[in-house]
Amino acid sequence: MKKTVTSLFVALLLVQPAGASPLLSGASGSGCSLSLTRVGTLPVVVNVPDAYTANTPDPVTDAMKAWAEAVMRLGSNAKQSADAREKLHAALMTAANSNALSWPSNWSSGRDRPPSVIYHTMETLFPAIVAYGQNRSAFTEQERDIFEIWAGSIIDRLGKTDKIRSWKTDNKKYQFGALSAAYGVITGKQKFLSSGTKIYKSAIGSMRKDGSLPGDTERGGSSLHYSNLAIANLVAIAEYASDAGLDLYAYQSGGKSIHLAIQFLAAAQNDPNLIAGYARRTDQGTGSFDGFSAEKQDRRWAQGPDVLWGYSYIKRFGKTETGQALLAASPFLKSGKGGVHQQSGGNTRCFVNG
């Protein structure tokens, strides 16, 4: 029976017509029910150590990730549950009223602290903005002003950093683009949407002719992992830009498009040798997670919620060769499971039912 249900879900995805992303309209509630976790306190100050905190967790980033996960789960359940909607409302307003995600005066000192502060701030704020956008009707006009001023001030702060300005071909730059685009669509502030669109087009332009993404393919054994994050961010920009009537999926630069990047990701998942040559060019401090190498790639992205962005893509392009290749490469997508992923903005399994 389980196999039949899974096959039916995939078949439905393949025949659904392309539609606008549900950032403003919200999802229907179908496929949105997730188990809930306790909403902890979002740190007021992003005071992280001068260390690569993705591999060496600390109390601040642990608290940020836990809060973001709770918000994503609440946001997914909010269409069906008034209690989840109320808890989401409380979590977001508490964060905004406390001016959470402030930065310490020494945030830019050290080698690892600046990118870590920026990355974790974006990773936490993005799903919060998505959950807010999908449930904006639950907030009063005054509350909207409070939340949007808070979120906008953080995006402005991020945009003024040397790192955001200097990163060109990096998933963190694309994360900033997704954050900006989502905020711009929700608030109607064109400069933010334009910023996200510009970053998207720059990413497509910088892509190699085989669809690989410079920078993120040069991360040793984690090159597939980071390439997936980059594509998650780019798909998010394309999805949210569609709410403003922009079809970034159709955008091409020198014959290159987001479809080519997804083709390469799926192909390299099946044959890591396709990415190994780039992965060997690892820059200092940006290499593999423990246990992986250029030839032995971290391929877990396709087996869990890190590929949740794929539901958005399959809804639109499931019948295409690229959509079929992505499905074939990902057991998670074929299973029809839901879940949460910060770079995808939450439970995309829920979003595609909007």
Side-chain angles (χ1 to χ4, degrees):
M1 179 66 178
K2 183 176 180 182
K3 183 176 181 181
T4 302
V5 172
T6 298
S7 298
L8 177 61
F9 169 76
V10 172
L12 285 172
L13 278 178
L14 294 179
V15 300
Q16 286 188 59
S21 82
L23 181 59
L24 295 182
S25 60
S28 64
S30 175
C32 298
S33 180
L34 295 177
S35 61
L36 297 179
T37 57
R38 185 181 69 86
V39 182
T41 302
L42 181 62
V44 173
V45 181
V46 188
N47 191 14
V48 301
D50 185 24
Y52 183 37
T53 52
N55 273 342
T56 310
D58 65 273
V60 174
T61 54
D62 281 349
M64 292 169 71
K65 286 181 178 294
W67 184 87
E69 175 157 347
V71 162
M72 287 187 288
R73 290 179 177 275
L74 288 171
S76 188
N77 283 271
K79 288 298 173 183
Q80 297 173 306
S81 166
D83 180 61
R85 190 161 54 251
E86 290 173 6
K87 289 179 179 177
L88 174 68
H89 176 279
L92 296 182
M93 291 311 302
T94 297
N97 283 317
S98 66
N99 196 29
L101 302 181
S102 298
W103 293 351
S105 59
N106 67 344
W107 77 270
S108 61
S109 63
R111 189 190 75 172
D112 289 336
R113 186 181 287 112
S116 183
V117 168
I118 292 170
Y119 173 77
H120 288 293
T121 298
M122 294 191 296
E123 186 185 49
T124 304
L125 185 61
F126 179 51
I129 285 178
V130 171
Y132 166 78
Q134 291 177 328
N135 295 277
R136 195 167 180 255
S137 61
F139 296 78
T140 67
E141 288 295 330
Q142 182 180 12
E143 289 170 338
R144 292 177 188 180
D145 285 343
I146 292 171
F147 180 86
E148 291 171 16
I149 289 172
W150 169 69
S153 68
I154 296 174
I155 298 172
D156 281 334
R157 185 201 317 155
L158 287 161
K160 294 175 182 176
T161 62
D162 290 338
K163 290 293 184 182
I164 291 295
R165 289 172 175 170
S166 63
W167 284 326
K168 301 299 181 184
T169 56
D170 189 290
N171 70 86
K172 294 184 288 297
K173 183 62 170 271
Y174 311 150
Q175 175 80 92
F176 180 71
L179 184 61
S180 298
Y183 182 80
V185 168
I186 291 168
T187 62
K189 295 181 178 179
Q190 182 63 38
K191 76 167 188 175
F192 292 96
L193 177 57
S194 295
S195 175
T197 300
K198 182 179 179 181
I199 289 169
Y200 179 94
K201 291 181 176 179
S202 176
I204 301 302
S206 68
M207 189 187 304
R208 301 186 187 96
K209 291 183 178 180
D210 62 0
S212 60
L213 294 164
D216 289 307
T217 51
E218 298 162 22
R219 304 288 295 270
S222 298
S223 294
L224 267 176
H225 166 80
Y226 284 113
S227 293
N228 175 67
L229 292 188
I231 290 173
N233 295 327
L234 295 174
V235 167
I237 297 173
E239 280 295 308
Y240 303 144
S242 71
D243 275 321
L246 301 176
D247 185 4
L248 292 182
Y249 283 113
Y251 176 78
Q252 293 189 19
S253 175
K256 300 171 294 183
S257 69
I258 187 65
H259 309 290
L260 189 62
I262 294 171
Q263 286 174 21
F264 179 84
L265 181 71
Q269 174 72 3
N270 295 324
D271 181 6
N273 287 324
L274 294 174
I275 205 170
Y278 302 127
R280 295 189 194 103
R281 305 176 188 175
T282 305
D283 293 333
Q284 182 181 3
T286 64
S288 307
F289 295 142
D290 290 345
F292 301 101
S293 65
E295 290 74 24
K296 183 185 177 183
Q297 287 290 317
D298 181 353
R299 303 165 70 196
R300 293 173 292 179
W301 66 271
Q303 300 164 8
D306 281 11
V307 73
L308 272 164
W309 61 267
Y311 287 130
S312 297
Y313 187 81
I314 290 169
K315 178 180 180 180
R316 297 176 182 273
F317 305 105
K319 289 183 177 180
T320 67
E321 183 178 347
T322 303
Q324 290 290 291
L326 179 61
L327 271 174
S330 174
F332 185 88
L333 290 178
K334 286 190 287 188
S335 76
K337 293 179 181 178
V340 294
H341 180 231
Q342 286 170 268
Q343 280 76 18
S344 297
N347 179 20
T348 317
R349 171 66 175 87
C350 169
F351 302 167
V352 299
N353 288 295

